[in-house]
Amino acid sequence: MTTNDGIQVSVLGLGAMGSALAAALLKAGHETTVWNRSPGRADDLVAQGARAATTAGDAVRASRLVIVCLLDHASVHEVLDPLAGDLAGRTLVNVTTTSPDQSRELAAWAADAGIAYLDGGIMAVPSMIGQPGSSILYSGSADAFRQYQPLLDVWGDSTWFGEDPGLASLYDLALLAGMYVMFAGFMHGAAMVAPAGVTAAKFATMAAPWLTAMTGAFHEFGAVIDGGDYTVDGQQSLEFSDLGDILAASAEQGISTEVVATVQRLLHRQIEAGHGKEGFARIIESIKHPA
């Protein structure tokens, strides 16, 4: 089907995210069957119009499109391995967080069973599903993505990255890596100013606009990295970027230096290799080539 009207869909896994996905489908008018291992999770969705399946097999057999949002890679196999025969000829969209290699393994398992497979990485928290700013990354079957994109767009902006089923997971985890390191940097800063009586909330009022402005440098870094020349004009040198003062101030405040020290180590590996006059973006070479 290529329209958004009346698609029958089953959702397996009703944690916070799975429930949000199912609720958005119901709101969009899709006939939605839901299943969860532990009882009671489906009650709110049933009140919204969902059909609760007694077993995972019942849920799979109810729809041509099956969405899986479970705990991890192992739980996907635990639930679906016994149902490979029932899934044959259907489309499986797996939005469980898995590694790229795990996504590829699941795709191979699906192909052997005659199942169309699409892997998804959700770039949103449950409350964002169906709202502006929510995006879902997909890779795997191009036919499955084209067929069901109108339904997938109910959750957020849908982007397909190619036939390699591991690409959505790779992008997902790479983006999350940037997010968590940024969060850790904010928390380090909040810890630095705390002994001076500055609350984390007050620090956030300065940190948020500053960090937002600094994300504009991503495009410049990207161009330098892709060009492979860390000597082009306009870059802040590695030597000038030395974080010694930040480390000293952190120690004086009595807090851990681990977050900043990690960046300092990446930076100094390049300085010690003779690249101190080159741009800060060169620390990616320390990341690409572990010591």
Side-chain angles (χ1 to χ4, degrees):
M1 299 180 68
T2 56
T3 69
N4 219 19
D5 300 324
I7 297 176
Q8 292 181 319
V9 56
S10 294
V11 178
L12 279 64
L14 301 178
M17 184 59 76
S19 295
L21 298 175
L25 293 172
L26 288 165
K27 185 177 180 180
H30 296 293
E31 186 176 331
T32 306
T33 298
V34 296
W35 172 84
N36 194 70
R37 190 192 307 271
S38 55
R41 288 286 183 90
D43 293 349
D44 287 344
L45 293 166
V46 169
Q48 297 173 51
R51 171 184 173 267
T54 304
T55 67
D58 287 342
V60 166
R61 290 185 290 271
S63 309
R64 303 299 298 175
L65 175 62
V66 178
I67 312 297
V68 179
C69 187
L70 297 171
L71 177 64
D72 54 20
H73 179 256
S75 63
V76 173
H77 272 301
E78 182 182 349
V79 171
L80 297 186
D81 281 358
L83 303 174
D86 290 320
L87 281 163
R90 289 174 163 80
T91 296
L92 174 65
V93 179
N94 177 40
V95 292
T96 305
T97 300
T98 54
S99 73
D101 283 348
Q102 289 172 336
S103 298
R104 295 181 183 110
E105 187 277 329
L106 281 167
W109 170 86
D112 288 343
I115 306 163
Y117 183 84
L118 197 59
D119 201 82
I122 302 175
M123 305 309 299
V125 296
S127 62
M128 292 172 63
I129 296 299
Q131 304 298 319
S134 174
S135 66
I136 320 290
L137 318 179
Y138 296 97
S139 58
S141 170
D143 289 342
F145 181 75
R146 281 193 294 268
Q147 181 177 7
Y148 290 111
Q149 184 178 0
L151 179 144
L152 301 175
D153 284 343
V154 165
W155 297 331
D157 292 335
S158 303
T159 305
W160 181 72
F161 287 91
E163 294 275 359
D164 178 353
L167 281 176
S169 172
L170 182 62
Y171 270 91
D172 178 19
L173 297 177
L175 289 166
L176 289 173
M179 180 193 77
Y180 280 113
V181 174
M182 178 186 69
F183 285 169
F186 163 74
M187 292 174 192
H188 180 94
M192 282 185 74
V193 298
V198 180
T199 65
K202 184 176 181 180
F203 180 67
T205 63
M206 296 192 67
W210 164 249
L211 293 176
T212 299
M214 289 302 97
T215 60
F218 290 170
H219 297 291
E220 298 170 18
F221 285 145
V224 170
I225 292 165
D226 290 342
D229 183 1
Y230 301 104
T231 67
V232 296
D233 291 339
Q235 299 183 74
Q236 179 172 298
S237 73
L238 288 161
E239 290 175 344
F240 187 83
S241 302
D242 183 88
L243 307 181
D245 288 342
I246 300 176
L247 289 167
S250 299
E252 289 167 5
Q253 295 296 87
I255 69 168
S256 168
T257 60
E258 292 170 279
V259 173
V260 178
T262 296
V263 182
Q264 180 81 323
R265 284 193 296 271
L266 296 173
L267 189 155
H268 271 271
R269 277 179 51 202
Q270 295 303 310
I271 293 176
E272 291 161 10
H275 303 293
K277 303 298 183 185
E278 298 180 34
F280 178 79
R282 192 180 178 94
I283 70 167
I284 195 172
E285 299 299 331
S286 294
I287 299 169
K288 287 181 175 178
H289 307 290

